[in-house]
Amino acid sequence: MPEATIICCDCSEYMRNGDFMPSRFDAQSDAVGLISNAKTQQNHENTVGLIAMHPNAKADVLVNCTQDIGRVLSSLAKMKIGDNSLIKPPSLNVSGSESKTTETDEQNDSINILVALQTAQLALKHRKNKKQDQRIILFVGSPITKAQNEKMLIKAAKRLKKNNVSVDIVNFGESEENTGLLERFIGSVKANDNSNLVTVEPGKLLSDVLISTPIFQQAGQQINEYGNLGGNDADLNAAIRASQADAGGGGGGGAAAGG
């Protein structure tokens, strides 16, 4: 079954931290590029979209669901820490409830995953191929608990489940604070093991860990970052990463920020 996937990226200041090499932001970009490539190669009808989450509870759609991996990687290379609204295309209108949430958290310097989930669900609703399964992959590399209304988040999880939207969460960098809330969310959104929480500890290569997790599975089969069944090709893996680095002209990482 073909799948439409929206990947939500953490673009908060916490992503400058260097506990994941070379930084949380660059490690995330590497992983997102590999996931996007795997998704589009695994099934020619699969599509991928990209959302940037940044402070003040904003979520910008950088790329709507597309089969064009070049568009996705180009937007990924332009994505930066902070406000990405200047590089997004004309995006979907948000609903009144989403606007209210944004206004409520206007002064918050953390990402708000509820806003990102609502934005991603709306983007998936407008996918061209209605036969595609729907999936959201959420990267969380900053502390989120103070910015979230847990009751509303669980309500959103149940709504996503009702609408057959699967959610995978990559929890890294601030797992000590975030894991409990994210576990409760996944418990509410999961149906028949279609959603997963993957927690990655500092010091590990984020993309290398993710390749062996359910995030790189489709229809119950493990795929590599090239959309093929089986393991990695280390040389090809390195070549793709080098190509992504050249396209980005260097990532958005840098010196560690206080977490």
Side-chain angles (χ1 to χ4, degrees):
M1 180 69 69
E3 185 176 80
T5 302
I6 295 287
I7 305 177
C8 301
C9 302
D10 191 333
C11 295
S12 68
E13 289 293 327
Y14 288 91
M15 298 300 285
R16 297 187 189 278
N17 282 339
D19 48 354
F20 287 83
M21 293 298 294
S23 68
R24 292 183 190 179
F25 187 81
D26 288 330
Q28 172 185 250
S29 296
D30 182 38
V32 171
L34 296 180
I35 291 171
S36 300
N37 192 72
K39 293 289 185 182
T40 53
Q41 292 295 321
Q42 198 272 342
N43 186 315
H44 71 279
E45 293 186 75
N46 282 358
T47 57
V48 176
L50 196 63
I51 286 178
M53 304 180 291
H54 48 89
N56 297 323
K58 293 181 180 179
D60 290 326
V61 180
L62 303 184
V63 183
N64 280 305
C65 288
T66 179
Q67 295 171 303
D68 186 349
I69 185 63
R71 284 185 58 201
V72 176
L73 295 180
S74 176
S75 292
L76 182 62
K78 294 175 184 176
M79 189 176 70
K80 58 187 176 61
I81 292 173
D83 192 336
N84 284 271
S85 59
L86 294 179
I87 66 171
K88 69 175 180 177
S91 59
L92 304 170
N93 291 326
V94 296
S95 67
S97 61
E98 292 172 59
S99 297
K100 183 176 180 181
T101 303
T102 302
E103 291 167 6
T104 301
D105 294 325
E106 191 171 50
Q107 302 303 319
N108 203 306
D109 61 356
S110 301
I111 62 168
N112 189 311
I113 63 172
L114 176 59
V115 173
L117 289 165
Q118 291 170 331
T119 305
Q121 185 177 10
L122 186 59
L124 289 170
K125 183 179 179 180
H126 287 81
R127 70 197 187 282
K128 293 180 180 179
N129 184 357
K130 302 301 182 184
K131 295 182 179 180
Q132 290 173 312
D133 288 338
Q134 303 172 82
R135 181 173 299 278
I136 299 169
I137 300 178
L138 198 68
F139 280 77
V140 181
S142 55
I144 60 169
T145 55
K146 293 179 182 178
Q148 308 305 311
N149 180 319
E150 183 171 345
K151 184 177 180 180
M152 291 181 65
L153 192 60
I154 298 303
K155 184 178 179 180
K158 293 177 179 178
R159 184 167 59 250
L160 289 164
K161 181 178 180 180
K162 182 179 179 180
N163 286 281
N164 299 313
V165 180
S166 305
V167 181
D168 293 326
I169 300 178
V170 180
N171 175 30
F172 67 110
E174 302 289 340
S175 56
E176 184 174 345
E177 175 174 331
N178 294 337
T179 298
L181 176 62
L182 296 177
E183 285 177 342
R184 293 189 289 276
F185 174 84
I186 287 292
S188 298
V189 77
K190 180 180 289 190
N192 300 320
D193 293 325
N194 69 340
S195 299
N196 304 278
L197 172 63
V198 177
T199 299
V200 184
E201 297 302 325
K204 297 183 178 180
L205 292 175
L206 186 61
S207 54
D208 287 353
V209 173
L210 294 180
I211 287 170
S212 61
T213 69
I215 290 177
F216 274 85
Q217 288 182 357
Q218 188 162 330
Q221 293 183 300
Q222 192 74 25
I223 59 175
N224 62 21
E225 61 268 46
Y226 319 109
N228 302 315
L229 294 174
N232 300 319
D233 181 323
D235 293 336
L236 186 56
N237 185 4
I240 285 184
R241 287 175 174 165
S243 176
Q244 291 172 352
D246 290 342

